[in-house]
Amino acid sequence: MRTPQIFYPFGSAAADSINPASDDGSSSVITLLSPFLFFGRTYQRIYVNNNGDLTFSQAFSQYVPYSFPANGSQDIIAGLWTDLNNGVTGVISYHQYTTGSVLTRATQDINTYFPNLPFTASWVFVATWDKVPYLSSTETSFQVVLISGSNYSFILMNYGNIAATGRSVEAGYDTISSTNYFVIPESNSGSSVSHLNTSSNINVPGRWVFRVDGGPKNSIVRVNVVGIHVRFESVLNPTESGNAEIIIQQIKQELCKRGLPSDVNLTFRKVQKINP
Ligand SMILES: *[C@@H]1O[C@H](CO)[C@@H](O)[C@H](O)[C@H]1NC(C)=O
Ligand SMILES: *[C@@H]1O[C@H](CO)[C@@H](O)[C@H](O)[C@H]1NC(C)=O
Ligand SMILES: *[C@@H]1O[C@H](CO)[C@@H](O)[C@H](O)[C@H]1NC(C)=O
């Protein structure tokens, strides 16, 4: 299959560094050319783990993902965390950039998705899982791109061929103690995981983007949307006690499917009955 256009350059064409081919293996420690800010913590090192995730403190070999939020002890970015095996076939590779056309492309992408942020990329890290099979069967391709500049940082996930699987899967991110986390909808079920290559929170099929520096306004929705107009039908009367909470949880679920981080709190400021 052709590489999707949403993919950043990778592989031998991009002179990537290549992970050892080994089941449950990882890259050796990668020293970052520019520190990466992830929800308030600044990292100088990263590991590209063969099972589809990135960690900062140590290599991580676990092949059965835990569910986010895990209230765990590590920060983790999961492009598609599952039992991937590059010992059979496929290439896992990475490259970091501090100059050149990849920075230009990342700047343009972030400026498009976050039009209100004055952003210029100064560092980009591209990790690619190219045609790597689940343990031994169907091949799956995706990328995790880290982008930073000034004090902003972003994660961009690109999904190509994503086969369904009977295995446990998880895509998104989770922080130490789960102060911040996100699960891409349908990514935590092997039977629906193929939807990763058509879904999006920015209207580009197969691409998900998150601002992750932890700055005061850390969600796409907060940055780009000043108001939303929602129409819903409900048998619950929101002015009756307890019902407002149920309704707001339903609204939140819908917004989370569109990219609102699930740790955001929503409240009604005012509920007014204007019709009988
Ligand atoms: C998260 O973990 C901490 C430390 O292990 C524990 O004290 C806390 O109760 C946990 N919180 C939740 C919501 O499980
Ligand atoms: C980044 O944040 C630090 C600390 O808040 C601040 O001193 C510095 O000016 C910021 N740098 C940029 C380029 O915004
Ligand atoms: C998504 O992945 C599946 C499984 O590899 C593939 O059949 C399908 O063509 C992909 N769709 C897109 C839009 O890439």
Side-chain angles (χ1 to χ4, degrees):
M1 183 206 137
R2 253 175 6 102
T3 302
Q5 293 192 342
I6 52 172
F7 273 43
Y8 279 41
F10 69 93
S12 47
D16 279 5
S17 304
I18 294 176
N19 272 18
S22 87
D23 191 24
D24 303 332
S26 80
S27 67
S28 43
V29 61
I30 302 161
T31 302
L32 303 184
L33 298 174
S34 170
F36 187 69
L37 179 62
F38 190 66
F39 294 108
R41 276 176 286 273
T42 302
Y43 288 105
Q44 319 277 351
R45 281 175 290 279
I46 203 163
Y47 297 83
V48 174
N49 302 305
N50 288 355
N51 287 323
D53 61 272
L54 305 177
T55 48
F56 299 100
S57 306
Q58 56 197 2
F60 192 51
S61 63
Q62 195 165 314
Y63 59 89
V64 178
Y66 51 70
S67 298
F68 305 158
N71 190 27
S73 56
Q74 70 176 352
D75 287 335
I76 182 166
I77 299 170
L80 180 54
W81 179 14
T82 186
D83 196 3
L84 294 166
N85 188 355
N86 67 339
V88 177
T89 178
V91 175
I92 301 168
S93 64
Y94 60 88
H95 199 123
Q96 47 183 331
Y97 301 87
T98 52
T99 57
S101 59
V102 171
L103 289 195
T104 311
R105 181 169 176 180
T107 301
Q108 283 167 354
D109 281 340
I110 298 304
N111 289 342
T112 303
Y113 308 141
F114 299 85
N116 301 330
L117 295 185
F119 180 75
T120 305
S122 55
W123 176 84
V124 176
F125 183 90
V126 180
T128 305
W129 285 256
D130 183 33
K131 303 190 190 73
V132 183
Y134 301 121
L135 203 56
S136 64
S137 61
T138 350
E139 297 163 7
T140 271
S141 297
F142 60 93
Q143 286 190 317
V144 177
V145 181
L146 308 183
I147 299 171
S148 69
S150 317
N151 287 333
Y152 297 120
S153 45
F154 303 89
I155 310 173
L156 193 150
M157 317 260 205
N158 290 325
Y159 295 96
N161 269 10
I162 302 290
T165 174
R167 296 171 192 285
S168 302
V169 291
E170 186 90 359
Y173 59 81
D174 194 17
T175 64
I176 295 171
S177 304
S178 297
T179 51
N180 296 81
Y181 65 92
F182 189 85
V183 180
I184 299 181
E186 304 190 276
S187 75
N188 51 3
S189 151
S191 58
S192 62
V193 74
S194 287
H195 291 135
L196 282 174
N197 69 17
T198 50
S199 68
S200 178
N201 61 344
I202 40 128
N203 213 15
V204 176
R207 176 174 281 182
W208 285 76
V209 182
F210 308 98
R211 181 175 166 196
V212 296
D213 48 78
K217 297 181 175 59
N218 67 30
S219 85
I220 288 178
V221 172
R222 278 277 291 283
V223 171
N224 290 340
V225 180
V226 288
I228 56 166
H229 195 155
V230 191
R231 182 195 150 142
F232 62 92
E233 292 173 29
S234 171
V235 292
L236 298 174
N237 176 353
T239 59
E240 274 171 23
S241 79
N243 287 352
E245 186 51 31
I246 296 171
I247 292 167
I248 210 157
Q249 285 314 321
Q250 289 170 345
I251 294 174
K252 182 174 165 183
Q253 252 176 29
E254 289 303 313
L255 290 174
C256 286
K257 286 187 199 158
R258 291 163 176 78
L260 183 78
S262 36
D263 54 328
V264 164
N265 280 322
L266 294 187
T267 53
F268 282 124
R269 190 176 296 164
K270 187 174 180 185
V271 179
Q272 196 177 14
K273 194 169 176 176
I274 54 172
N275 227 334

